[in-house]
Amino acid sequence: MAASTSAGGLRVPAAGTESPGSGDLPEGEQPASPGDLRSVLVTSVLSLEPLDLDLFRGRHYWVPVTRRLFGGQIVGQALVAAAKAVSEDVHAHSLHCYFVRAGDPTVPVLYQVERTRTGKSFSVRSVKAIQHGKPILICQASFQQTQESPVQHQFTMPTVPPPEELLTQEELIQKYLQDPNLVEKYRLGLNKILAQEVPIEIKPVNPPEILCQLSQEPKQLFWVRARGYIGEGDMKLHCCVAAYISDYAFLGTALLPHRQHPVKFMVSLDHSMWFHAPFRADHWMLYECESPWADDGPAGGSAVLPQRGNDCG
């Protein structure tokens, strides 16, 4: 079974406003210095080891219960590799990826970058993520210099409760586990989820009823942000973190109309993102995920993450 899944837009703060997030430190606590980035997404998950010019090695932080590599980490690391092969004065504009083989969680991933084009305004980098001598992902990433444009428009952000009013995914699971009528297989599954060290914070806006087997609309909304503090830093770094987050919840959303049908295997084959304006990946972002189509065949997905409290970028 495969699904086509898409998400909303990337919103950036309006002038003179701030978005709350991991960067909102407790009273008396000072922001981390540039050399002390506390988000594990930066220090571990998206950290690459340089092996040669435009050749890097990445290791794995979190492996889902499927025992396959998390696609978001491969996409995020591929964008990190591409960003290391461009100048500091450009920012990530977009990426387009194809997953061509399942990732092996027992061995590292090699990232080979090709400097496809370096122009005055736009640059393109091609990245192959390789295991066992074969590509598991192919990525094209575009970078551009910042340019002001008099022609701008954007979608209106969905009206949803702010993250401060919602439970985290962990709190929701604890609530589900307190239900004495919870079927044992669900209890085991929820405990497995709790045991996972996922490096992102998630607050579902409209969590599906876990005990309900009826079909539900294939659309979900989440507030998401990186765990820990990242800081302002290079905008390309926040794009890499957002790329990691963007692969979360695609397939689960596509399954909501088919909860009565046992599905043994699903996979996403393509992944695209556009970065319209500056944002902070350690601040709350609204992730709008929906699946407009599903059928037997390849699965597709595209995502952009809207940031809280501002217009689409």
Side-chain angles (χ1 to χ4, degrees):
M1 181 176 185
S4 171
T5 311
S6 62
L10 184 62
R11 282 120 174 139
V12 298
T17 64
E18 295 181 359
S19 296
S22 301
D24 301 330
L25 302 174
E27 184 176 356
E29 184 177 348
Q30 296 299 314
S33 65
D36 181 30
L37 300 178
R38 291 172 291 176
S39 172
V40 71
L41 276 164
V42 175
T43 60
S44 177
V45 177
L46 297 176
S47 178
L48 297 182
E49 175 189 359
L51 300 178
D52 204 338
L53 178 65
D54 296 340
L55 182 65
F56 307 90
R57 177 164 54 201
R59 300 187 182 276
H60 323 307
Y61 175 80
W62 170 60
V63 178
V65 293
T66 59
R67 308 310 301 168
R68 295 174 180 269
L69 291 184
F70 175 50
Q73 178 162 342
I74 308 304
V75 172
Q77 288 183 341
L79 187 57
V80 169
K84 289 180 178 292
V86 295
S87 60
E88 293 184 359
D89 63 340
V90 297
H91 66 270
H93 166 266
S94 60
L95 64 83
H96 303 273
C97 301
Y98 284 95
F99 295 97
V100 293
R101 288 180 178 84
D104 181 353
T106 66
V107 298
V109 180
L110 295 180
Y111 294 91
Q112 186 177 51
V113 183
E114 176 187 332
R115 304 194 180 204
T116 308
R117 182 179 188 274
T118 301
K120 293 182 179 180
S121 299
F122 281 85
S123 295
V124 177
R125 298 294 182 261
S126 303
V127 183
K128 284 185 180 180
I130 301 170
Q131 284 187 322
H132 306 297
K134 297 179 180 180
I136 62 172
L137 174 133
I138 299 171
C139 173
Q140 296 276 346
S142 174
F143 300 83
Q144 70 174 126
Q145 291 184 342
T146 301
Q147 297 178 344
E148 294 294 330
S149 172
V151 181
Q152 297 181 359
H153 73 271
Q154 52 195 3
F155 286 163
T156 300
M157 184 173 176
T159 301
V160 297
E164 294 79 11
E165 297 180 5
L166 299 171
L167 298 177
T168 65
Q169 181 166 276
E170 290 82 5
E171 290 169 337
L172 278 170
I173 290 176
Q174 293 288 4
K175 181 180 177 180
Y176 293 146
L177 290 173
Q178 293 173 8
D179 186 344
N181 298 319
L182 184 65
V183 178
E184 186 61 22
K185 69 173 183 178
Y186 291 129
R187 190 176 301 277
L188 291 174
L190 291 174
N191 278 311
K192 285 183 179 179
I193 294 174
L194 276 182
Q196 296 175 343
E197 297 182 5
V198 182
I200 56 177
E201 293 183 78
I202 305 161
K203 289 192 174 186
V205 174
N206 53 342
E209 175 53 55
I210 190 171
L211 298 179
C212 178
Q213 290 299 306
L214 299 177
S215 297
Q216 295 181 247
E217 183 183 9
K219 182 174 182 178
Q220 296 192 83
L221 291 159
F222 307 86
W223 287 111
V224 295
R225 67 181 179 185
R227 293 190 187 275
Y229 176 82
I230 297 176
E232 295 294 340
D234 185 348
M235 182 58 206
K236 291 193 287 292
L237 176 61
H238 288 276
C239 290
C240 294
V241 173
Y244 177 96
I245 296 173
S246 70
D247 198 45
Y248 180 82
F250 273 160
L251 300 182
T253 301
L255 280 176
L256 289 177
H258 313 285
R259 303 182 77 181
Q260 69 275 27
H261 299 291
V263 178
K264 296 182 179 179
F265 179 74
M266 288 186 72
V267 63
S268 178
L269 296 184
D270 66 294
H271 195 102
S272 297
M273 294 186 72
W274 291 262
F275 306 99
H276 299 298
F279 65 98
R280 286 277 298 271
D282 56 355
H283 286 183
W284 285 115
M285 301 175 287
L286 183 64
Y287 186 167
E288 183 180 6
C289 188
E290 62 180 327
S291 174
W293 177 89
D295 194 2
D296 290 331
S302 63
V304 244
L305 299 174
Q307 184 156 352
R308 179 195 177 193
N310 45 92
D311 299 325
C312 329

